[in-house]
Amino acid sequence: GSYPGFLSAMFRLAYPDFVDISYASSAPLKLYAQTADQNAYYDIVTKAADRLSPGCADAVRVTLEEAKEQIKEFSSVKEAVKSMKMCTDTVPEYITTLKTLSDDVMMAIGFSFADYDMDAYPPSEELGLYKACQVYQDETLSSMEKVADFFQLLKEDAEEEEEYPGLIADEDRDCFDLSIFLPDGDNPRIATSDWSGSGGGNDGKMWDFQLCTTLIDPIGFSEESMFPARVWTYGDLTNYCQLRYVEEVTPQPLALVRNLQFDDLVGMGASKILFTNGLQDMWSGGSYLENLSDSILAVNFENGAHHSDLSHVGPSDKDTEDIREGFVKITNILNNWLNEIKDENEH
C-alpha cells in the first residue's frame, strides 16, 4: 500500500508489455503528482479518530492548543522535556529553544496518530488509535499529562517498534526518548522531508533522502484538523534537504510526473489498473477514488484503513461487510482481466 501501490501502478503504466495487471492499494498518485489537497492527509486522520472514538478530535485539538503554548512557558528545554516524561539526556541537539521543542513535539504527535490510523482496522477498542484517543479524552488529566501519557503509550506499542527500532532499546527506561524519531545522518530533524513521518534509523534516512529528490509528498496541517495548523511549502522542504545533505540536493516535485505522466492515465492509454482505498486511511486523500475508465477502476471501503483489503487471509469473520463484499468484487474484476489476457494470448 501507499508507495508500493504507487509503484505497482507505475510498472503497469511504464511496462505494459511485461506487467499485465496492477493492484494499487492506497496508492497516492495525486499526492505525488502535486495535485492533491495538502491538508487532506491529517484531515482524514482527524475524522477517522473521531469516528472511532466520538469526541476525540475536540479533545486532542484543545489539549494540543494548550500544551503547545504551555511548553513555551517553561524556564528551559530540559524542564519542559522533563514535564512530558521524556529523557533529558537524549534530547536532539538541534532543539535549543522551547519553540522548536513545542513545534516538533506537535509534529511527532501528528505523525504518530497517523501511524495509528493506518492500522485502525477492523474497528475496535483494542486499536492503538482508540487507545490514543482515550488518553486525550481523560478529563482527569492536565494537557501536559495527556501529552506525556501519549508518548508512554507509543513506548509500549509493539507496532511502533517496527518503524522506530530505538523504542526497543528504550524499554528499560521510564522516560520517552525523543531522539528515536530521528533518521540517521547529519543534521537530523523530527520534522523531516516527509511530514507523515520518515521513520528512524537508516531506513528513515533512505526514505528522507528519496523525498528530497523526486518523490515529493506535500502534507500539511489545516485549521480543520485536530493538530496545530502548519503549512507545508516547497521552500521549507528545499531548506531542510540542503541542510541535511548538500546544496546540490534540490527537490524536483514535477520531475516524476512529467517523466511518467501518471496524472493522465487515460490519455497515456493505461488499462487494467485497480485502485483500492480504505476511506479511513489518510492516503486515500491522495488517491483515485473513482473509476477513470472501464479498465482503470476504483474500489473503496467505508470502514477500511491502510490496505485493509490485503490481509493475506481473505474475507473472515473479523472483517466488516464492506471488506467482505470488496473481496468478491475485486476477485471478479481480476478474474475477468485474467480471462481477457488469456484470450488475447490464445489469439
Side-chain angles (χ1 to χ4, degrees):
S2 53
Y3 183 52
F6 168 76
L7 291 179
S8 172
M10 292 307 97
F11 274 113
R12 172 62 181 159
L13 176 64
Y15 304 106
D17 293 336
F18 298 94
V19 179
D20 292 321
I21 293 172
S22 165
Y23 190 126
S25 180
S26 305
L29 271 70
K30 291 182 179 180
L31 186 68
Y32 295 149
Q34 315 302 297
T35 59
D37 177 3
Q38 71 161 265
N39 295 322
Y41 188 92
Y42 282 109
D43 285 355
I44 292 173
V45 174
T46 298
K47 292 173 184 176
D50 213 51
R51 184 176 188 261
L52 184 63
S53 181
C56 179
D58 283 341
V60 172
R61 187 178 292 112
V62 170
T63 297
L64 297 186
E65 285 176 356
E66 292 179 353
K68 181 176 173 64
E69 297 307 314
Q70 289 174 5
I71 290 171
K72 292 184 280 190
E73 294 173 359
F74 281 87
S75 60
S76 67
V77 169
K78 183 177 181 179
E79 290 303 312
V81 165
K82 192 183 299 183
S83 74
M84 292 180 282
K85 298 180 183 178
M86 295 176 179
C87 307
T88 57
D89 58 334
T90 56
V91 177
E93 292 181 2
Y94 76 92
I95 298 181
T96 58
T97 69
L98 290 164
K99 182 182 184 307
T100 301
L101 175 65
S102 178
D103 288 345
D104 283 12
V105 165
M106 296 301 121
M107 176 66 72
I109 291 172
F111 61 60
S112 296
F113 254 104
D115 287 344
Y116 279 136
D117 182 37
M118 282 200 290
D119 295 323
Y121 179 83
S124 82
E125 295 184 1
E126 299 302 313
L127 295 172
L129 182 60
Y130 181 84
K131 293 176 182 177
C133 283
Q134 293 306 293
V135 169
Y136 287 93
Q137 291 178 272
D138 187 343
E139 296 182 357
T140 68
L141 301 176
S142 69
S143 293
M144 294 299 286
E145 287 172 333
K146 292 176 183 179
V147 170
D149 283 3
F150 176 76
F151 282 105
Q152 289 300 310
L153 179 66
L154 289 181
K155 190 170 181 291
E156 297 163 4
D157 195 325
E159 292 178 355
E160 289 294 303
E161 291 178 356
E162 295 181 13
E163 187 166 3
Y164 302 104
L167 283 172
I168 299 174
D170 194 40
E171 287 177 349
D172 295 331
R173 306 187 70 182
D174 293 332
C175 56
F176 182 87
D177 184 355
L178 197 58
S179 70
I180 61 103
F181 294 122
L182 299 177
D184 286 350
D186 296 334
N187 301 316
R189 298 289 188 270
I190 290 173
T192 66
S193 58
D194 183 1
W195 282 12
S196 73
S198 288
N202 189 56
D203 288 352
K205 177 185 177 182
M206 291 187 289
W207 183 247
D208 184 47
F209 179 76
Q210 185 168 1
L211 270 73
C212 277
T213 54
T214 58
L215 190 75
I216 313 302
D217 61 357
I219 294 174
F221 298 84
S222 76
E223 298 282 354
E224 301 302 316
S225 85
M226 62 187 180
F227 309 104
R230 188 166 177 175
V231 178
W232 183 99
T233 70
Y234 292 109
D236 287 342
L237 174 66
T238 299
N239 291 337
Y240 167 81
C241 293
Q242 293 182 349
L243 170 71
R244 275 282 279 158
Y245 305 105
V246 293
E247 290 186 2
E248 288 75 15
V249 176
T250 300
Q252 302 173 61
L254 298 177
L256 203 60
V257 69
R258 285 174 177 168
N259 180 33
L260 295 172
Q261 299 183 53
F262 54 85
D263 57 337
D264 184 17
L265 294 175
V266 175
M268 288 294 291
S271 64
K272 293 186 176 65
I273 299 176
L274 176 61
F275 293 104
T276 64
N277 288 284
L279 298 183
Q280 305 309 309
D281 175 25
M282 56 278 175
W283 293 108
S284 68
S287 183
Y288 287 109
L289 305 181
E290 64 289 322
N291 295 342
L292 300 183
S293 72
D294 60 2
S295 64
I296 303 178
L297 307 179
V299 176
N300 302 317
F301 312 102
E302 182 63 33
N303 295 296
H306 195 52
H307 53 69
S308 300
D309 48 312
L310 294 178
S311 64
H312 306 296
V313 296
S316 70
D317 292 340
K318 294 182 179 179
D319 283 309
T320 54
E321 188 63 26
D322 55 328
I323 294 291
R324 288 197 292 269
E325 292 176 355
F327 273 116
V328 175
K329 188 173 185 178
I330 289 167
T331 300
N332 289 337
I333 291 170
L334 296 179
N335 278 335
N336 287 339
W337 285 351
L338 288 170
N339 288 332
E340 287 177 13
I341 293 166
K342 183 178 179 181
D343 289 342
E344 290 170 2
N345 288 338
E346 289 178 349
H347 297 90

